[in-house]
Amino acid sequence: MQALKYIFMGIGIIAIALFIIFIILGVKVVSAVLMYVVGAIAVIAIIGFAIYYLGKASGKRSSTD
């Protein structure tokens, strides 16, 4: 299960990096469809990271109470 988590986190980090690069290059250079697909994956990854780290932080707080 840990390996799957790290695979998904790696895909998310790559998607976020690619989306930033695609924004810098512009839509004319990169296919608009590819940019939207990578952008959607990047947004889902950002939401996933936020939920993961908020859950991790709240779990630490509740276990010490």
Side-chain angles (χ1 to χ4, degrees):
M1 193 63 152
Q2 292 292 329
L4 186 63
K5 178 179 78 171
Y6 292 129
I7 290 170
F8 284 138
M9 289 176 83
I11 291 170
I13 291 169
I14 291 169
I16 293 167
L18 279 175
F19 187 65
I20 292 170
I21 291 169
F22 288 167
I23 287 175
I24 292 170
L25 291 177
V27 178
K28 291 181 181 178
V29 176
V30 180
S31 169
V33 174
L34 179 65
M35 183 171 171
Y36 290 135
V37 169
V38 173
I41 294 171
V43 168
I44 292 169
I46 290 171
I47 293 169
F49 283 135
I51 291 171
Y52 174 74
Y53 286 114
L54 286 174
K56 203 171 184 181
S58 68
K60 288 181 181 177
R61 274 187 270 145
S62 65
S63 66
T64 57
D65 287 340

